[in-house]
Amino acid sequence: MTVMLKRAAYHAQHASVRLPLFAVQQMLRVLSRRWDQPSRAEVKAVQDRYWRLLDRDLSNAELGLYPESLLFDFPMFEYAKTFPRLAVEFGRAIRRMRDADYKDLPDDVDLTRYPHYFRRNFHWQSDGYLSKRSAELYDAGVEFVFLGSADVMRRQIIPPISRFLAAHSGRARILDVATGTGRALFQLAKTHPSQKYYALDLSQYYLEVAQRAANDDLDISFVVENAEEMPFKDESFDVVTSVYLFHELPKNARRRVYREMHRVLRPGGLLVIEDSAQLSESKDISHVLERFPADLHEPFYQDYLRDDLAAGLAEAGFRIDAVEPTFVSKVVVARRE
Ligand SMILES: C[S@@+](CC[C@H](N)C(=O)[O-])C[C@H]1O[C@@H](n2cnc3c(N)ncnc32)[C@H](O)[C@@H]1O
């Protein structure tokens, strides 16, 4: 395929996901009587960021920082099949939102095993992170919220790792913290299949879905643990990654995880984090960011928004190499010195 054809196919794929999802989102806004709108300038800023993300995605693949196959690896039909179940879930989420019922969790789970901030149904989703049902619907639900750009944002962690590994001899040990169902980790592992991976998450249900989806050729160990106290030796990893964890943690837990990441990373090792944008670098889209927790149960998000990931990491001893906006998220690249 020529470059132009590939670019056209890529944009056609995104339009075919984005446009119907946007129509459904608008319909739901009307049904739930959400009239407040960001300013025109802010809508334009969000749109510009979106187009920059897609451009960056195409350029990264063209530069060989990840394989072009990732650009087309969107399981549209798998996700479409979950839509009837998601529609039922939407009704349940609305009920929980109206009743502020964030403790509606499965009866058969021993909640004492989890920190207080985890014992809730984030996003008003059924069972929070504590069931197979929730884990099976999660990926499609996230793509719905981000209009098909979630995997694109996630894979923006890969370029700094590709550059790092190009200068690394031997097999690297790579830890992904809060792997969830594995959408970020699998894209990284498909790019660098011969490395040794560890996938850690507090939800056994999410990790089970990840484990089932994992390609047998990849060497991934799955570890159900709290990121605040990781069961790994000091300086035992070359690379640590994490995607969309920190906006769901209270400030003190966030700080503890930074320190744990610093402890397990070897000197000279690379840390790459992707998470929601924050006001520190993204005031141009502040209305959109402020609105995010209004519809989804995200109790620590307002505090996260006013915090600064890079500053927290620097406090934990990291040297910050880059902070790069990626649509409504950002990538922070840091080193342990
Ligand atoms: C928003 S999801 C992100 C998952 C995945 N990285 C992705 O890109 O979709 C947050 C994940 O963090 C996990 N999590 C939350 N608190 C945690 C903790 N203290 N230790 C380990 N995992 C945690 C949850 O179980 C969930 O899988």
Side-chain angles (χ1 to χ4, degrees):
M1 240 198 279
T2 66
V3 172
M4 264 174 64
L5 264 178
K6 222 174 278 168
R7 287 191 160 232
Y10 174 83
H11 282 294
Q13 172 193 251
H14 276 282
S16 70
V17 175
R18 182 179 68 247
L19 298 175
L21 292 186
F22 183 70
V24 176
Q25 280 191 6
Q26 293 306 101
M27 197 180 72
L28 293 177
R29 255 170 41 81
V30 173
L31 288 176
S32 56
R33 302 201 177 110
R34 296 253 173 222
W35 309 122
D36 58 320
Q37 283 278 31
S39 66
R40 270 194 194 178
E42 188 148 343
V43 171
K44 168 122 181 23
V46 172
Q47 287 169 345
D48 287 350
R49 279 167 171 252
Y50 174 80
W51 295 118
R52 277 202 297 276
L53 173 71
L54 297 196
D55 270 352
R56 178 184 161 126
D57 196 30
L58 281 163
S59 305
N60 285 337
E62 285 162 12
L63 289 169
L65 294 165
Y66 43 76
E68 283 181 347
S69 58
L70 291 189
L71 305 185
F72 299 98
D73 192 6
F74 188 84
M76 198 168 336
F77 296 109
E78 291 302 308
Y79 290 167
K81 278 194 264 172
T82 68
F83 266 45
R85 286 170 76 194
L86 276 179
V88 173
E89 284 306 315
F90 184 73
R92 294 186 178 135
I94 293 281
R95 183 198 53 74
R96 284 186 206 108
M97 182 160 73
R98 291 215 173 114
D99 301 345
D101 187 4
Y102 66 87
K103 289 192 169 166
D104 179 17
L105 290 169
D107 294 332
D108 59 345
V109 172
D110 175 10
L111 294 176
T112 60
R113 290 179 51 202
Y114 301 102
H116 72 92
Y117 57 81
F118 198 77
R119 297 180 219 149
R120 61 182 68 244
N121 41 48
F122 281 98
H123 321 129
W124 305 118
Q125 70 201 32
S126 289
D127 312 328
Y129 288 121
L130 294 169
S131 77
K132 180 169 176 263
R133 155 174 78 167
S134 152
E136 285 174 352
L137 295 176
Y138 173 81
D139 293 340
V142 175
E143 289 295 2
F144 174 72
V145 171
F146 294 106
L147 301 174
S149 68
D151 272 357
V152 185
M153 289 191 282
R154 289 180 177 118
R155 63 179 165 260
Q156 301 316 308
I157 63 166
I158 302 176
I161 300 172
S162 295
R163 293 191 187 99
F164 177 86
L165 292 177
H168 178 88
S169 56
R171 197 167 184 232
R173 286 167 56 85
I174 301 180
L175 167 66
D176 183 45
V177 178
T179 294
T181 55
R183 294 299 301 179
L185 174 66
F186 294 151
Q187 296 192 80
L188 173 60
K190 279 180 191 164
T191 307
H192 298 290
S194 57
Q195 315 299 332
K196 169 69 196 164
Y197 291 93
Y198 289 80
L200 177 137
D201 200 286
L202 195 46
S203 168
Q204 74 186 73
Y205 309 95
Y206 276 57
L207 274 193
E208 277 162 16
V209 164
Q211 201 157 3
R212 275 206 303 278
N215 182 332
D216 286 344
D217 299 340
L218 300 172
D219 186 354
I220 308 179
S221 300
F222 293 87
V223 182
V224 179
E225 267 301 343
N226 189 340
E228 293 175 74
E229 280 179 84
M230 297 196 264
F232 304 117
K233 290 194 185 129
D234 294 359
E235 305 183 5
S236 52
F237 291 97
D238 302 290
V239 178
V240 174
T241 61
S242 186
V243 177
Y244 297 135
L245 168 66
F246 291 102
H247 71 279
E248 295 195 345
L249 299 182
K251 188 177 263 156
N252 52 3
R254 240 176 271 146
R255 297 289 186 268
R256 278 196 287 275
V257 178
Y258 300 154
R259 288 199 292 271
E260 274 297 86
M261 289 173 153
H262 190 267
R263 181 183 68 75
V264 301
L265 197 58
R266 69 158 167 86
L270 180 75
L271 174 73
V272 188
I273 292 178
E274 167 108 32
D275 215 309
S276 164
Q278 292 172 307
L279 298 179
S280 51
E281 82 293 324
S282 294
K283 285 210 182 60
D284 57 321
I285 56 166
S286 60
H287 182 95
V288 171
L289 297 174
E290 299 268 11
R291 220 174 145 271
F292 179 61
D295 297 330
L296 301 168
H297 178 54
E298 288 280 9
F300 309 110
Y301 190 82
Q302 288 292 354
D303 179 69
Y304 168 84
L305 210 51
R306 286 160 182 77
D307 198 3
D308 180 18
L309 257 175
L313 292 170
E315 221 172 81
F318 286 99
R319 183 192 81 204
I320 307 303
D321 283 354
V323 177
E324 299 163 3
T326 53
F327 186 28
V328 288
S329 299
K330 65 175 165 185
V331 175
V332 181
V333 185
R335 288 281 192 135
R336 175 170 175 178
E337 293 189 294

